[in-house]
Amino acid sequence: MTRFLIYCFPAMIDMVIGSILFVCAVRMAESGASATAVTAVIAVSALVYMVSAQVVGSLVTQRNAAWILIVTSLSMALLAAAFIFMPGLQTMYLLVAIQAIANGFFFVPFQVFMKAVEKGR
């Protein structure tokens, strides 16, 4: 049961990420942005996440993985509020890029954390 509960956290983060990307794309489309501008939000997220995951992979250890997860989860909550209070279209690109960095700081340490938790299984 504990293992199931632990794996709920990345599932919830995936739902947050999906919601952010969906809402940003819809807001941009409704504002009259071009199709390229709308899809660029998702491309920016993917590219920044890809680079940040590589960088975080060199920084995270078994000792600091849990703390990185906690700090990143709190920062994602603050970042979600930033999407509400800073609704500009150009700002969305910046916030999506910051969110992608936070994604890298969540998923890479989570994998290291679970490797330590499930050692020997």
Side-chain angles (χ1 to χ4, degrees), residues 2 19 45 57 62 64-65 70 91 115 117:
T2 304
S19 297
S45 176
Q62 285 186 358
N64 66 6
I70 292 167
T91 309
K115 179 182 174 186
V117 168

Side-chain angles (χ1 to χ4, degrees), residues 20 44 51 62 80 96 105:
I20 287 171
V44 165
V51 172
Q62 285 186 358
V96 164
F105 272 94

Side-chain angles (χ1 to χ4, degrees), residues 6-68:
I6 291 173
Y7 279 108
C8 282
F9 290 109
M12 288 186 284
I13 295 295
D14 279 336
M15 288 188 278
V16 169
I17 295 166
S19 297
I20 287 171
L21 293 176
F22 176 75
V23 169
C24 284
V26 168
R27 284 171 65 184
M28 291 192 91
E30 287 178 347
S31 74
S34 69
T36 304
V38 172
T39 54
V41 170
I42 297 169
V44 165
S45 176
L47 290 171
V48 173
Y49 173 71
M50 184 174 55
V51 172
S52 69
Q54 291 292 322
V55 172
V56 174
S58 65
L59 300 174
V60 70
T61 64
Q62 285 186 358
R63 296 179 81 175
N64 66 6
W67 282 109
I68 292 173

